[in-house]
Amino acid sequence: MPVGDENPRSSPGGRRMQDAPGGGVGPGLSPVDRRTLLVCSFILAAALGQMNFTGHQVLRVLAKNEKQLSLLRDLESLKPQKVDFWRGPARPSLPVDMRVPFSELKDVKAYLESHGLAYSVMIKDIQVLLDQEREAMAKSRRLERSTSSFSYSSYHTLEEIYSWMDNFVTEHSDIVSKIQIGHSFENRSILVLKFSTGGSQRPAIWMDTGIHSREWITHATGIWTAKKIVNEYGKDPILTNILKSMDIFVEIVSNPDGFAFTHSMNRLWRKNKCNRPGVFCIGVDLNRNWRSGFGGNGSNDNPCSETYRGPYPHSEPEVAAIVDFITAHGNIKALISIHSYSQMLMYPYGHLLEPVSNEEELYNLAKDAVQALYEVHGIKYIYGSISTTLYVASGITVDWAYDSGIKYSFSFELRDTGRYGFLLPATEIIPTAQEMWMAIQTIMTHTLNHPY
């Protein structure tokens, strides 16, 4: 969820870093030249395959006050964009993490230093982590092929995940089925796994992962969770009891186009791949496209922004598919939307500072879930409402769910707190999923025991 990926098609023109003391970059290219260069770079990147992030660094800044936060927000408004916020400027108590391209490092560091903004280097060279990640995936793929198995401790492509789904549903057809709820902008299937022991329109739990495509740990956690459900049914009395009365829906790849793009071209892509006539930049932030609070603070009307909300609520097929499915079902009692990173468990509202009517219940449930999570591996999550814990964000999934009558609506930010950020090593998949399971189970149990 933390905002911002530098869009490879950032629009030219606008204010430049030369305005900042010590940040001189000269007059730069004309808008036409710059646009030509951007398009040529994009074509070249396409020809060569994955975008290269050699020398890109992730800097962490701890703002002391609102004035310093404002100086950091000014970086976001520069055109073309010079930084990609991994954790955006929110409040003085939270660190700000930003990816800075190698070509901009000197200017950005000079800007920070000239304004007295202390920073540290969290990731020295992003490409090193990407190379390690790709190497681990290739090694895992070779092993999977030789043993005809699926590794739950590895990252996978969209094709591999969809193939796994087919096999998984076939193997566990007594409890799992696959539902196609729609198609993405690029016409990929949007699939949901349904776990059920029978009956129709029973009370249900909804979980979604991967709405922001670069948050790979979320997809991997969703896959592991699906396997956990079938393994534990009939053995674990808590889960068995839940499934006797309720169904569970899990949407593992909520943004299939964006996710495919993170594998084929840009590992750090966040949005979907919507491309509208006359709009130079690609993609909408699917977690700003929901009706509740649409267009408010914490979203952007600039198509080149990583928090671009889209032209109107539910304009994106990936969002509309979920809205239509949940609305038609009519009996979803809890919604859990899973993001990364920051180690947080949050509930509505994101677009308002005012507490929801059952704030105390949600706070205590979040507290219990975080405690259950902590007891697995000793990992600490913070919790509270989105707007007071993280930042004001409008048009988000959980606000829509809550306003649609889903009383237990939660959003997770998984590991870590910034050492790897969105590039969490695959070695952390299993422990992340294990601790998450305890938190999810806590929420599901409370939902079961407090019918409404």
Side-chain angles (χ1 to χ4, degrees):
M1 183 192 258
V3 295
D5 178 55
E6 177 187 302
N7 195 310
R9 295 190 171 192
S10 295
S11 64
R15 187 181 148 203
R16 294 184 56 78
M17 186 68 83
Q18 66 205 29
D19 299 338
V25 293
L29 298 166
S30 74
V32 175
D33 289 342
R34 200 178 307 119
R35 180 172 294 179
T36 305
L37 186 62
L38 278 166
V39 171
C40 290
S41 301
F42 199 79
I43 293 167
L44 182 64
L48 296 174
Q50 273 274 3
M51 281 179 65
N52 192 290
F53 292 90
T54 299
H56 291 223
Q57 295 187 348
V58 176
L59 307 182
R60 167 162 290 185
V61 183
L62 289 168
K64 295 173 187 170
N65 49 45
E66 282 298 326
K67 184 185 177 185
Q68 290 197 340
L69 280 175
S70 181
L71 289 166
L72 290 170
R73 290 189 190 105
D74 287 345
L75 277 173
E76 191 176 22
S77 62
L78 294 169
K79 294 186 179 67
Q81 274 183 291
K82 293 186 175 289
V83 302
D84 157 16
F85 282 115
W86 283 18
R87 295 181 71 173
R91 60 191 74 250
S93 59
L94 294 174
V96 175
D97 294 346
M98 54 188 175
R99 173 176 65 83
V100 186
F102 179 73
S103 60
E104 307 292 351
L105 272 173
K106 187 179 176 185
D107 291 344
V108 170
K109 287 179 176 178
Y111 176 88
L112 296 174
E113 288 160 7
S114 70
H115 288 96
L117 290 157
Y119 65 86
S120 57
V121 178
M122 295 297 284
I123 301 176
K124 193 174 181 181
D125 188 336
I126 285 177
Q127 192 60 43
V128 171
L129 294 185
L130 293 182
D131 291 343
Q132 289 171 356
E133 184 177 72
R134 256 177 240 153
E135 196 177 312
M137 282 183 73
K139 187 177 177 182
S140 170
R141 193 173 289 124
R142 287 193 296 271
L143 186 64
E144 285 177 322
R145 282 175 183 159
S146 67
T147 58
S148 298
S149 62
F150 183 89
S151 171
Y152 290 86
S153 58
S154 303
Y155 291 121
H156 294 89
T157 63
L158 181 70
E159 294 74 18
E160 289 166 347
I161 292 172
Y162 278 11
S163 174
W164 165 81
M165 274 190 189
D166 289 339
N167 295 332
F168 182 70
V169 169
T170 301
E171 287 171 30
H172 306 284
S173 56
D174 57 324
I175 190 173
V176 191
S177 57
K178 184 180 76 173
I179 305 168
Q180 181 172 299
I181 64 167
H183 287 88
S184 66
F185 180 82
E186 293 179 341
N187 207 35
R188 290 181 173 88
S189 295
I190 300 173
L191 304 175
V192 172
L193 294 176
K194 178 184 181 180
F195 300 82
S196 180
T197 57
S200 61
Q201 301 304 99
R202 298 200 303 176
I205 315 277
W206 169 277
M207 268 185 276
D208 61 75
T209 62
I211 205 163
H212 289 146
S213 48
R214 62 182 171 186
E215 298 167 9
W216 283 10
I217 184 59
T218 69
H219 311 87
T221 297
I223 292 167
W224 186 93
T225 301
K227 180 69 169 173
K228 183 73 170 174
I229 293 170
V230 299
N231 283 353
E232 294 297 312
Y233 177 68
K235 298 173 189 170
D236 173 29
I238 297 172
L239 177 73
T240 304
N241 198 31
I242 290 165
L243 276 175
K244 276 180 184 173
S245 307
M246 305 183 84
D247 294 339
I248 301 172
F249 295 98
V250 182
E251 183 184 19
I252 291 170
V253 188
S254 304
N255 178 5
D257 297 347
F259 185 59
F261 195 64
T262 63
H263 286 276
S264 67
M265 176 65 77
N266 180 354
R267 170 63 180 87
L268 298 174
W269 187 263
R270 167 184 168 97
K271 302 190 284 185
N272 75 348
K273 290 302 303 303
C274 167
N275 189 4
R276 288 189 165 82
V279 179
F280 187 58
C281 290
I282 289 174
V284 168
D285 182 346
L286 298 178
N287 201 34
R288 299 295 185 275
N289 189 238
W290 303 72
R291 192 174 308 283
S292 290
F294 180 83
N297 290 336
S299 69
N300 205 304
D301 62 359
N302 173 10
C304 296
S305 166
E306 281 307 317
T307 53
Y308 174 51
R309 62 189 177 228
Y312 54 87
H314 310 167
S315 60
E316 305 313 294
E318 299 86 354
V319 171
I322 302 173
V323 169
D324 292 347
F325 179 82
I326 289 178
T327 304
H329 185 281
N331 209 11
I332 305 287
K333 299 300 184 183
L335 177 142
I336 300 168
S337 190
I338 300 174
H339 293 258
S340 75
Y341 63 97
S342 287
Q343 295 173 198
M344 296 176 174
L345 171 54
M346 298 171 290
Y347 49 81
Y349 281 123
H351 74 287
L352 296 172
L353 289 170
E354 288 75 33
V356 293
S357 59
N358 63 328
E359 154 91 19
E360 189 177 353
E361 182 186 17
L362 294 181
Y363 178 87
N364 288 326
L365 179 49
K367 182 180 178 181
D368 291 345
V370 163
Q371 181 58 33
L373 183 153
Y374 173 77
E375 286 170 7
V376 182
H377 295 296
I379 298 295
K380 292 181 179 178
Y381 275 51
I382 61 175
Y383 56 94
S385 76
I386 294 165
S387 59
T388 60
T389 306
L390 188 56
Y391 46 55
V392 171
S394 302
I396 63 174
T397 313
V398 291
D399 282 9
W400 172 85
Y402 188 86
D403 284 346
S404 299
I406 302 174
K407 191 173 168 184
Y408 304 115
S409 296
F410 290 94
S411 179
F412 280 89
E413 296 283 349
L414 302 184
R415 295 189 187 189
D416 57 6
T417 55
R419 168 66 185 88
Y420 294 101
F422 300 121
L423 305 177
L424 197 69
T427 50
E428 297 208 32
I429 292 172
I430 303 288
T432 300
Q434 286 171 336
E435 65 201 13
M436 263 296 291
W437 173 249
M438 297 311 297
I440 290 168
Q441 202 174 61
T442 302
I443 294 169
M444 292 195 298
T445 301
H446 184 90
T447 305
L448 175 67
N449 294 337
H450 296 82
Y452 64 96

